[in-house]
Amino acid sequence: MSMKPVLSALLSAALTAAVLSTPAWAQEAHGAHDAAEMNSDHGHHHADFESGRFHVRIDGPEAPAGDVILIPGLSSSPHVWDMLTDELKGRYRVHRIHVQGFAGAAAEDNAEGPVSAPVAEDIARYIREQGLDRPAVIGHSMGGTIGMMLAARHPDAVGKLMVVDMIPFMGAMFGGANATPESVAPMGEMIYQGMANSSPEEWLAESTSSITGMINTESRRAGPIEDGARTDQKVAASAMRELVVTDLRPELAGITAPTTVLYVTFNAPGMTPETTDGIYRASFATLPGATLKRIDDSAHFIMLDQPAVFASEVNAFLD
């Protein structure tokens, strides 16, 4: 069956990078990595790690039960993980990635070209240089793509992988079951041009609509919208183009880490829970050991719509 009905939902997810009002929750975004500024009273400290792709905030005990790396999605900040971090940081050392160019962080090395693939490579370097022992990796949306890249291309670096509401080839949603990266490249370029060149007014209208569809809980929408307001529009556009043309299905067999995939029913006309289940089963067929679980009564940001359920799933995954 065709996957094209999901197009509007995916475009909405892409357009979190809206230009809106001045944000309140994303004021800790750092372009320069000044240790004195970062090691403040926010309850976390920043990793001593040089990268033009991301910076990392760390919470948790000095003698943790293990390390957990949290990777947010397109234009999101580490704050989307606040509730989960509060749940985990008493036992685990939590490393929250902040991708450069997103949510107020200077674009730095992400100013041009792909974003997900080089971020994944630098996370592998981060794990190695920080001496982490096969940490668990949890990625939401684009962060899930980065997690899959990391686990497939550096299988010895990842102990466990959780992918939150992301499939391994977004391009299939635009080109159907027979889509290839080459066949959807024109669509990827069209999306890039639209995102990179939209006026602030166009961004405002689209993002207001899209964020409503991505988070059911009205009181929790403001933060992600504010993240988008501080996102570099061209970095987000480049990242979205990369997602459209990246097919990770042939690489999934290289993932050796136990993998859990949490997802929600696609928010698009004609999509049912059963249809969504079928799409996810087909998408992860090359990783037959993966645990696939649909989370009901939630939109794209499961950690915000269903924080208790999400925390329960993460605890079971880590244990």
Side-chain angles (χ1 to χ4, degrees), residues 18-19 44 68 92 105 160 170 192 201 254 259 265 278 280 303 319:
V19 180
H44 63 263
V68 181
Y92 296 93
K160 296 179 180 180
M170 184 183 284
Y192 170 81
E201 293 77 17
T259 301
T265 300
Y280 268 85
M303 72 287 283
D319 292 341

Side-chain angles (χ1 to χ4, degrees), residues 210-299:
S210 65
I211 198 66
T212 300
M214 288 189 287
I215 301 174
N216 289 340
T217 310
E218 185 176 358
S219 63
R220 294 189 175 128
R221 292 173 183 160
I225 291 174
E226 292 167 353
D227 284 347
R230 291 166 65 91
T231 289
D232 185 298
Q233 196 166 313
K234 290 190 176 179
V235 174
S238 293
M240 185 59 186
R241 176 173 56 189
E242 179 188 11
L243 290 175
V244 171
V245 301
T246 297
D247 186 359
L248 294 176
R249 292 174 299 181
E251 297 188 52
L252 294 183
I255 296 176
T256 58
T259 301
T260 296
V261 181
L262 303 181
Y263 61 93
V264 302
T265 300
F266 286 119
N267 181 19
M271 282 291 151
T272 65
E274 293 72 25
T275 302
T276 302
D277 292 345
I279 291 173
Y280 268 85
R281 284 195 299 269
S283 295
F284 285 91
T286 52
L287 187 58
T291 298
L292 308 180
K293 185 167 184 177
R294 188 182 73 245
I295 305 298
D296 294 324
D297 300 317
S298 178

